Amino acid sequence: MAVDRNFLPYNLAYLLDLYERFEADPESVSPEYRTFFQTWSPPTQPSEPSVTLPDDISSDQVIASAYLAQAIRTYGHLAAHLDPLGSAPPGDPALNLETYHLTEDILLALPASVVGGPVADGAGNAFEAIRDLKKIYMGTIGYEYGHIHSAQEREWLRHTAECGALRPPQAPVDETQLLKRLTQVEAFELFLHRFFPGKTRFSIEGLDMMVPMLDEMINESAEEEVCMAMLGMAHRGRLNVLAHVLSKPYAQILAEFKDPGQNYTTLDELGWTGDVTYHKGARRAIRGGEQVKMVVWMAPNPSHLEHVNPVVAGMARAASSGVNQPGAPIFYPKATLPVLIHGDAAFPGEGVVAETLNLSQLPGYHVGGSVHLIANNQLGFTTLPHEGRSTLYASDLAKGFDIPVIHVNADDPLACLEAARSAIAYRMKFQKDFVIDLVGYRRYGHNEGDEPGFTQPEMYQKIDKHPSVRTILIDRLLQGGIINPELPAEWMENQMRKLQQILDTLNPEAELFNPPRLNGLTNDHYAVQTAVSRSQLQQMNEDLYKFPDGFTLNRKLEKPIQRRRSALDNPDQPTIEWAHAEELAFATILADGIPIRLTGQDTERGTFSQRHAVFHDPTNGQTFTPLQALPKVRASFEVCNSPLSENAVLGFEFGYNVAFPKRLVVWEAQYGDFINSAQAIIDEFVVSGWSKWNQKPSLVLLLPHGYEGQGPDHSSGRLERFLQLSTEANIRITNSTTAAQYFHLLRMQAGLLEKYPLPLVIFTPKSLLRHPRVASSLQELTDGAWKPVLDDPRNPDPARVTRLLLCSGKIAVDLFEARQADIGMDAAIVRLEQLSPFPRDELEELLQHYAQLEEIVWVQEEPENMGAWSYVRPRIREMLRSGLQLHYTGRAPSASPSEGSMTWHTVNQKQILAEALGLGEHLPQKNYSVRENE
Ligand SMILES: Cc1ncc(C[n+]2csc(CCOP(=O)(O)OP(=O)(O)O)c2C)c(N)n1
């Protein structure tokens, strides 16, 4: 049998030990070894020069030496010198000779082959090999790869660590250039410190090597197939990275520091807030001659630490996906390199980190491997590691995700570059994540105005005396006679002079970004052709439900699919249900050449078994996705079930969308209620990305919403929160009630991607998904358009209507159902299908139409402090003509969105309907209704 090198240990001694055990009892070794030993026997002629063991060396000592070597490889990081401030590493008894009853003399007497690996090749005996192994594993790099499940990867990592191919002299570093780079890094901080004292910049000092490491990663990957590097990072060192890695002009950064804000007009007028300088993103093209060789892109991010991680991953996924052909998108795993820079307190502390790591190997979220760099300054604001995490290392979380880790001392430039090279080499080979824990310190307080001595006096006594990495490098280069002694000072002066000249000649306003204006939406903005011809829809419907030869449809789906097949036969019959309308909308959007990505928990099938975007053959488990098999489309359709996450997955979809806003990206919550697990992504990215960073998101959120007695956490998508966040120009919020409206809305969103992209929140039905009142006719798709306001379908005589029951969403259907045929003719039920931007003109038209109105009753099923009431109330009041009253009917104010019991729900729901419709059904509970104008 061929020996699989992946499970062969380096040292023969270990193998012999195993062989002995196998001979004594074959069951005592693993199945792989058992198979292997069946055809293997110990070499009679050693492959190494033959060594005769001295008489006083036992085979136990040979085995002990092998164990020691193994322990150094596995636990050497515990004794590595990782802290530039010199704290003692924890160490481990497994790394000590005494633990194995070994001595230096014993090791000197043993051959190097008992240690194995490349170190053995150059060593004269086991002592030298162990010494060299310790240099590798217990120097200024700590390797952690023993937890990796794949033997092939472990072998590669071990080989990479030990064979030295990535480190000098095999891979030389131009240390003079490195010094030049570190001079730029340090001069930038010194200059800002001198001219803007105390102003927050979150200096990189103490982790200066971050910049050359990023240079190295970008240059290394530019040599491969990578055409884009996507960076995400928090505040620490960001300005330095922007200046040097993203080539953001010094003038622009200095202008932002000067902040000529007095000439700006007010926030009100612009709707623009911009963001602090250390949150801004940037893009840079690296050219190779005329060609753009690579694009480096740093995403803007909020202060909310680590929340940019999934966003960057989503951006990378979008950049690596080919979408301009029918079927599934084509993913190019090496095309984009995501690099995420984390804080040492934030990485273990913020849950979104784990959520994002969990995305890394999932088919719909894979980005070909991200490189993570923990900017470890050993403090989180004032918090020490033992207060901030329950793990030894800041990086330990990553080990659970099968990610290799390298810890490296930030004061050893060559070790840092080796770590960067290893990360890229691993990522390119295995397309998996890699973590570098860059251990440094923080030169100043949390920010430059902060006094660190209040809380870390001893640490800062050390830091105050600690030389910068540039100084350490200069000393080394001078000692080696590599540079001329005048050079470092000369370079530093030149750099400072350059910055001074830029500052002296600065025209801050010219350098600053000129903010665009936010305009409110007008009716023109939804003047998009959304109707589709009858013949096209009928043809698409036919194509959609043609299954491939040999595909067996689940028996329980035969009838519903048959209903879909025939639903377009009678154009004026309301036979098209909600999910069917969605599929038709998607098909037509793909035919228009717009790619679609649809994700969410259990979204392929749909939480309520309504969608079936993917069919599963019960006889063989094969799948079929009709929207990927349509003949006449020009763009890809991607659909996938998300993992159980809201925060990271929504961040991911936001990133995917904002990187390429002309694709239709739809994310669905399992129930709208769970959206609050992603509140930071909503607040910080979806609704404010435009205002802060001039982004143009067009993400669609589907949030199942409606009161159906399922308790406080399965009722509300928190309409009120979105409405509160809307400025009428940053997001569209809808709560629509018919399949046709949904069809037109999706098509309108797709049609506006180019012209007027806006995030769109659609509160979607649950029990109404198959309700006959919600179903629509083909005619409504072929002739209709999106209507922000829907008048009463009963078409009441305006002369008789004195009460307008104004509402939004499912309660309208409940009102229609509860209203009896011959009564209530004085009331019209009108639906606001769109809440934001508020459809003033359409509502005004209706108020004119119902000229006899005496009262408008806002009816909602949500409690008074929730739902749309607080939002619509001032807007409706503005429109009240003289004598017209505004009233509220709905649930009483409440801390929790709904009742926990179906009975209690039913009582309250009935009461709201009775009150609104004036049915006089006085139920035992307090009848909650607010008389607005009294
Ligand atoms: C989600 C979130 N919580 C709290 C903060 C406040 N905050 C800003 S920086 C910081 C410390 C971060 O420490 P670390 O991750 O080690 O990064 P460092 O600042 O040391 O570079 C904290 C708590 C924040 N910005 N974001």
Side-chain angles (χ1 to χ4, degrees), residues 176 306 726:
T176 317
E306 305 292 340
S726 94

Side-chain angles (χ1 to χ4, degrees), residues 171-180 414 417 421 473 482:
V173 170
D174 183 341
E175 292 191 83
T176 317
Q177 276 309 316
L178 178 61
L179 177 60
K180 214 174 205 176
L414 297 186
L417 295 183
R421 289 170 177 179
L473 180 63
I482 296 170

Side-chain angles (χ1 to χ4, degrees), residues 235-236 303-305 343-346 350 377 379-381 446:
H235 50 287
R236 185 72 54 208
S303 282
H304 293 56
L305 295 169
D344 57 302
E350 291 291 341
N377 53 25
L379 278 175
F381 211 138
H446 172 62

Side-chain angles (χ1 to χ4, degrees), residues 242-258:
L242 280 171
H244 298 121
V245 181
L246 275 296
S247 302
K248 180 168 176 172
Y250 285 144
Q252 213 176 323
I253 296 177
L254 293 174
E256 285 166 9
F257 264 86
K258 273 205 140 177

